[in-house]
């Protein structure tokens, strides 16, 4: 397997290009938000699609138990034209995640899909993995043969850049791991954000984290990359823990997969059963949540989820809160209004403020945005039964 591509140069470029902006408290200072961001462009107010496939997508992933099932779901969904898969370090190091992605491509019989190796580490931080949750091999201990397929030589960020430029306005990015590859592509090409159709990501939380009390894992691993993505101006759909915590895989799901006689269902069942057993051995009351599969499902059928508009930003400096996703809205929390008054509230001049100044400075509280303009549609609830009907149904169906 060709492991030649490296992102050391890209990391150096990032530090050179962004150090001043980070010091000033604006990692993505070179990107301007549009006057109005409405979330994924293919989603209407009801959550139903206004257009029809096939949809060009790139799936960015760190396989990963739930990543593996998400990849299998995507490759079993005919609505998707998967232009490529771009592994990134996250749940496991890239040297494990990359072959795991290749294994899923082979299992699904989709070796026509190019797999481009991505970043081996976050932009500015040491890599933190989640082998504690996904096992040392990333697949919950489920063992599969070494892949025979090899990755392409082109690094993930360059691949993303090339494909988006080849099909401007047509490609949706579906990152289900840390956002290092996506941010790197945006930094390499400052015009790229205007060419991406949308981003549907698994990450973040408005209701506490899962690796720290504040942060969800994907954002925690590379908060600087996440901030670049959220401030890029690309329409974003955020599928985070607020919804994915309600997608626990069960014994019944695994038995349904085991009963289906196709390579995809058998592989999914093997991974799922190992993950459930691992959770039980560690004392958890429920099976693993299908975080990443829900992001893919959100793209396939947005009506599975309930969305609300937020301005989302990412904490990058906090000693205890780095990676926290903060959602600003004039109609939530203490600002909640009657449904008929929410539209009026959306026009309010709500400033987006940073932290209060310390006694050691004469500065005033920074105003990060003069007015509230949503940059993301955030999933706040999910129809779990409808989601699993889609996931298990597609994985267990005959090809």
């Amino acid at each position: 397997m060709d492991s030649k591509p490296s992102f050391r140069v890209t990391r150096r470029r990032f530090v050179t290009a962004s150090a001043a902006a980070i010091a000033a408290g604006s990692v993505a200072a070179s990107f301007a938000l549009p006057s109005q961001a409405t979330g994924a462009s293919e989603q209407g107010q009801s959550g139903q699609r206004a257009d029809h496939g096939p949809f060009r997508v790139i799936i960015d992933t760190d396989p990963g138990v739930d990543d593996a099932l998400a990849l299998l779901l995507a490759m079993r969904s005919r609505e998707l034209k998967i232009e490529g898969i771009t592994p990134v370090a996250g749940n496991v190091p890239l040297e494990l995640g990359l072959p795991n992605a290749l294994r899923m491509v082979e299992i699904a019989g989709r070796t026509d899909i190019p797999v481009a190796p991505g970043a081996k580490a976050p932009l500015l931080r040491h890599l933190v993995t989640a082998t504690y949750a996904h096992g040392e091999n990333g697949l919950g201990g489920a063992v599969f043969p070494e892949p025979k397929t090899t990755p392409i030589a082109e690094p993930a960020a360059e691949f993303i850049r090339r494909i988006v430029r080849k099909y401007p306005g047509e490609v949706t990015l579906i990152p289900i791991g840390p956002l290092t590859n996506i941010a790197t592509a945006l930094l390499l090409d400052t015009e790229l954000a205007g060419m991406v159709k949308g981003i549907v990501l698994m990450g973040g939380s408005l209701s506490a984290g899962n690796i720290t009390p504040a942060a969800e894992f994907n954002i925690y691993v590379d908060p600087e990359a996440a901030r670049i993505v959220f401030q890029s101006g690309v329409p974003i759909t955020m599928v985070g823990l607020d919804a994915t915590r309600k997608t626990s895989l069960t014994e019944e799901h695994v038995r349904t997969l085991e009963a289906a006689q196709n390579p995809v269902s058998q592989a999914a069942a093997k991974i799922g059963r190992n993950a459930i057993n691992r959770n039980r051995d560690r004392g958890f009351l429920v099976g693993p949540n299908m975080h990443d599969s829900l992001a893919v499902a959100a793209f396939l059928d947005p009506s599975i989820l309930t969305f609300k508009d937020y301005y989302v930003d990412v904490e990058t400096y906090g000693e205890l809160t780095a990676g926290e996703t903060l959602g600003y809205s004039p109609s939530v929390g203490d600002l909640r209004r009657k449904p008929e008054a929410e539209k009026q509230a959306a026009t309010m001049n709500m400033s987006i403020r940073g932290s209060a100044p310390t006694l050691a400075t004469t500065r005033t509280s920074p105003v990060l945005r003069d007015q509230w303009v949503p940059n993301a549609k955030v999933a706040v609830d999910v129809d779990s039964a409808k989601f699993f009907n889609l996931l298990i149904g597609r994985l267990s169906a005959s090809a």
Side-chain angles (χ1 to χ4, degrees), residues 37-67:
T38 57
S41 59
E42 62 271 5
Q43 293 175 11
Q45 195 67 27
S46 66
Q48 298 292 343
R49 288 195 173 279
D51 55 358
H52 304 282
F55 304 103
R56 297 187 190 277
V57 300
I58 295 173
I59 301 176
D60 194 79
T61 178
D62 59 337
V65 168
D66 49 329
D67 299 75

Side-chain angles (χ1 to χ4, degrees), residues 60-374:
D60 194 79
T61 178
D62 59 337
V65 168
D66 49 329
D67 299 75
L69 268 65
L71 287 172
L72 294 175
L73 170 62
M75 289 186 284
R76 297 278 285 188
S77 298
R78 295 179 180 178
E79 305 97 315
L80 303 184
K81 172 67 172 71
I82 303 174
E83 296 291 342
I85 296 170
T86 52
V88 65
N91 285 324
V92 290
L94 187 66
E95 55 264 30
L96 295 178
L98 178 56
N100 282 348
L102 294 170
R103 289 182 177 99
M104 296 307 110
V105 163
E106 291 183 350
I107 288 168
R110 294 299 309 275
T111 55
D112 57 301
I113 299 173
V115 178
K120 295 181 179 180
L123 295 178
L124 296 176
R125 297 174 185 257
H126 292 292
L127 176 65
V128 175
T129 66
T131 53
Y132 59 85
H134 296 267
E136 292 301 321
N137 72 346
L139 300 177
V143 178
F144 297 92
E146 286 296 313
K148 298 178 181 178
T149 307
T150 57
I152 64 174
E154 187 176 24
E158 290 287 357
F159 175 83
I160 292 167
R161 177 178 180 272
R162 178 172 62 82
I163 296 299
V164 170
R165 279 193 167 272
K166 183 178 180 180
Y167 304 107
E170 296 184 34
V171 180
T172 298
L173 306 178
I174 307 180
I176 51 178
L179 292 163
T180 315
N181 289 340
I182 310 301
T184 302
L186 293 172
L187 287 171
L188 287 173
D189 186 342
T190 56
E191 296 179 349
L192 198 68
M195 301 180 187
V196 177
K197 184 177 183 182
I199 294 175
V200 180
L201 65 88
M202 190 281 129
S205 172
L206 301 183
S207 56
N210 62 352
I211 186 168
T212 72
E216 181 275 328
F217 177 82
N218 286 345
I219 309 299
Y220 172 87
V221 169
D222 199 340
E224 286 78 20
R227 193 158 201 237
I228 288 169
V229 171
F230 275 99
Q231 293 190 1
S232 68
V234 179
I236 291 174
T237 299
M238 173 179 136
V239 181
L241 300 181
D242 311 282
T244 65
R245 282 189 170 113
K246 302 173 183 178
T247 60
S248 181
L249 192 71
T250 67
E251 279 283 345
E252 183 180 356
H253 297 141
V254 172
R255 284 196 294 268
T256 300
L257 292 170
E258 288 172 337
Q261 298 301 310
N262 73 72
V264 167
S265 69
Q266 292 298 304
K270 185 176 180 180
I271 295 168
R273 182 158 297 287
N274 274 266
I276 286 177
N277 290 341
R278 183 179 177 82
N279 269 29
R280 284 178 176 171
D281 291 344
R282 295 169 65 216
F284 290 110
L285 296 175
V286 297
N289 291 318
M290 295 292 97
H291 306 283
D292 299 329
S293 295
L294 185 60
V296 173
F299 183 79
L300 294 169
D301 183 2
S303 69
I304 288 173
L305 293 131
T306 302
F307 297 93
K308 286 187 179 294
D309 288 332
Y310 282 88
Y311 171 78
V312 176
D313 210 337
V314 181
E315 175 60 60
T316 58
Y317 287 98
E319 181 180 357
L320 303 177
T321 58
E324 181 179 14
T325 41
L326 301 167
Y328 294 81
S329 170
S331 59
V332 298
D334 289 342
L335 301 175
R336 283 181 297 177
R337 288 169 171 78
K338 297 176 181 178
E340 59 271 19
E342 285 196 7
K343 286 186 178 180
Q344 181 182 358
T347 65
M348 287 178 57
N349 185 19
M350 177 187 184
S351 298
I352 308 301
R353 291 187 173 274
S355 59
T358 66
L359 296 175
T361 180
T362 58
R363 291 182 302 171
T364 58
S365 296
V367 176
L368 306 179
R369 291 286 182 269
D370 291 331
Q371 186 173 356
W372 179 80
V373 177

